[in-house]
Amino acid sequence: MAVTKRLFDTLEDGRAVELYSMSNQNGMCVEVMTYGANIVNLFLPDKDKRKTDITMGYDTIEPYTVNMDNFGATIGPNCNRIGNASFLLEGKKIQMAVNDGANNLHSDGKLGMSKKIWDAQATEDSVIFTVGVEDGDVGLPGNKVVRLTYTLTDENELKLHYEGKSDQNTIINLTNHAYFNLSGHAAGSIHDAVLWVNASHFTEVRAGGIPTGKILPVKGTALDFTVPKPIGRDIDGDDPQTKLVGGYDHNWVLDDWDGQVRLAARLTDEKSKRRMEVYTNLPGIQIYAGNFIGKQAAKDGAEYGPRMGIAMETQFFPDAPNHDNFPSTVFGPERQYDSTTIYKFLF
């Protein structure tokens, strides 16, 4: 195992952005940077031992300062959507930025954790990122400290361990927004990739992707991945749920959730023979098929567009503060945030 550091780029204000590379004995290499604790590159061998970068991103820092699609970003303090950009916390209305129609998405695209420089410390097989978030930042109460540890193993696991503390009760819901294409980040559509999800239910959404509060069975819907199927098979059909959000952009309710780390989803690419397994101790996984990835220049001279990558965001349910029947995302002095996500690769 090896961890190295180099300069990735420099922000307009002169601050340096460092890139940490973690490599294992099997040829897997993950690169993460101090800006947003962001995954920048993830290189995997294929069946013929050819290495390919399988996660979407950029070569320089400037596009990451915008990054409307959140390539590789660590999202927080609250990921996903909050209906009407507000909720009640202990009887007090909390107002967040209105940045997604009438709603809030991913806390704040300009001021959230994905746009901060994190402190970083390397160990033999890990990089530990830490960031402080002040009381009132992005509208949320509490002085918060968040720590994210990336660990690469010789079992081809990329482990993400999130820890969060706050001196007041607040909401914390953290995730990573990397987009994966097991054929390669510039390989085109992910429609042929085969997906399985360990979920017999999902959270129904209304317009804007906001949960209604109902938890419905996937059986008989386009969201049924209890038997593996290609992502593209039903994505553009007549299912009202996929029509509402332009494809897949839903939260699957993981079966048998008990707070332990369990297998949540599996993605298979027949061309490269690569497979990816997602494990988590969280109750949900938001799967976004990149329906609205903007056409843009990207790393290695690539051009990206819709559905060229899939995000598998382990998390508490979206809009949880507005639904008493969803697992709580309130954390504070009496309840610290702690979650683990593992991306395991087979090749």
Side-chain angles (χ1 to χ4, degrees):
M1 197 69 61
V3 180
T4 61
K5 180 179 77 169
R6 69 181 187 274
L7 178 68
F8 177 67
D9 206 344
T10 303
L11 288 165
E12 197 173 67
D13 61 10
R15 289 179 296 165
V17 177
E18 304 288 350
L19 187 73
Y20 287 81
S21 298
M22 297 178 286
S23 301
N24 70 9
Q25 64 182 7
N26 306 313
M28 181 176 170
C29 176
V30 181
E31 297 191 311
V32 292
M33 66 175 169
T34 52
Y35 187 82
N38 198 300
I39 297 175
V40 177
N41 303 304
L42 202 165
F43 296 94
L44 290 182
D46 65 7
K47 64 184 189 317
D48 299 317
K49 308 302 181 185
R50 293 174 299 196
K51 281 190 186 180
T52 305
D53 187 356
I54 58 113
T55 189
M56 301 174 82
Y58 305 108
D59 287 321
T60 61
I61 194 61
E62 191 280 330
Y64 280 111
T65 65
V66 182
N67 198 14
M68 295 294 291
D69 295 297
N70 294 296
F71 296 137
T74 298
I75 305 294
N78 185 74
C79 66
N80 216 310
R81 294 173 174 87
I82 297 289
N84 296 317
S86 64
F87 59 94
L88 290 178
L89 178 63
E90 299 174 339
K92 180 182 177 181
K93 182 179 179 180
I94 304 297
Q95 182 66 53
M96 301 184 71
V98 178
N99 64 359
D100 186 46
N103 309 306
N104 176 268
L105 177 64
H106 297 326
S107 296
D108 194 303
K110 297 178 180 178
L111 302 173
M113 285 166 33
S114 64
K115 297 298 190 291
K116 297 182 184 295
I117 293 281
W118 296 48
D119 294 329
Q121 177 184 357
T123 70
E124 288 185 0
D125 61 356
S126 302
V127 183
I128 304 166
F129 290 100
T130 307
V131 69
V133 182
E134 294 183 354
D135 179 31
D137 195 58
V138 302
L140 296 177
N143 294 294
K144 294 170 281 292
V145 176
V146 172
R147 183 165 68 176
L148 167 56
T149 302
Y150 287 103
T151 302
L152 179 63
T153 75
D154 283 328
E155 288 69 47
N156 304 319
E157 298 169 323
L158 177 60
K159 296 183 177 181
L160 286 68
H161 181 209
Y162 301 84
E163 300 166 273
K165 299 179 181 180
S166 175
D167 63 1
Q168 299 179 47
N169 279 346
T170 189
I171 61 168
I172 300 177
N173 193 8
L174 306 172
T175 196
N176 185 275
H177 209 296
Y179 292 81
F180 300 97
N181 186 326
L182 297 181
S183 287
H185 75 97
S189 172
I190 45 86
H191 278 195
D192 291 338
V194 175
L195 178 65
W196 170 83
V197 185
N198 185 30
S200 54
H201 292 78
F202 72 101
T203 49
E204 181 189 50
V205 298
R206 56 178 173 82
I210 303 299
T212 64
K214 294 181 180 179
I215 296 174
L216 301 181
V218 299
K219 188 175 182 180
T221 76
L223 280 71
D224 189 351
F225 285 92
T226 56
V227 175
K229 68 177 180 182
I231 293 167
R233 178 179 294 174
D234 300 320
I235 196 169
D236 290 318
D238 294 327
D239 191 299
Q241 282 290 294
T242 54
K243 283 191 163 189
L244 274 172
V245 292
Y248 295 122
D249 189 8
H250 296 80
N251 172 67
W252 274 257
V253 177
L254 297 173
D255 289 345
D256 303 317
W257 176 60
D258 60 0
Q260 301 301 306
V261 176
R262 295 178 179 273
L263 180 63
R266 182 183 295 113
L267 187 68
T268 303
D269 179 62
E270 291 298 332
K271 288 176 275 189
S272 66
K273 302 302 180 184
R274 296 186 181 105
R275 284 184 292 153
M276 173 183 178
E277 295 177 340
V278 183
Y279 296 80
T280 187
N281 65 340
L282 292 171
I285 182 169
Q286 182 87 11
I287 297 178
Y288 174 48
N291 310 312
F292 299 105
I293 294 174
K295 290 187 177 181
Q296 60 196 285
K299 60 186 176 183
D300 304 328
E303 182 174 301
Y304 292 159
R307 297 186 183 162
M308 287 183 63
I310 183 169
M312 294 192 281
E313 308 158 62
T314 58
Q315 58 192 247
F316 285 93
F317 302 168
D319 200 30
N322 287 316
H323 301 282
D324 291 340
N325 60 318
F326 288 0
S328 175
T329 55
V330 176
F331 294 89
E334 305 301 320
R335 184 191 184 206
Q336 295 184 5
Y337 180 93
D338 193 300
S339 75
T340 297
T341 293
I342 302 171
Y343 298 130
K344 182 174 183 177
F345 299 90
L346 301 97
F347 44 83

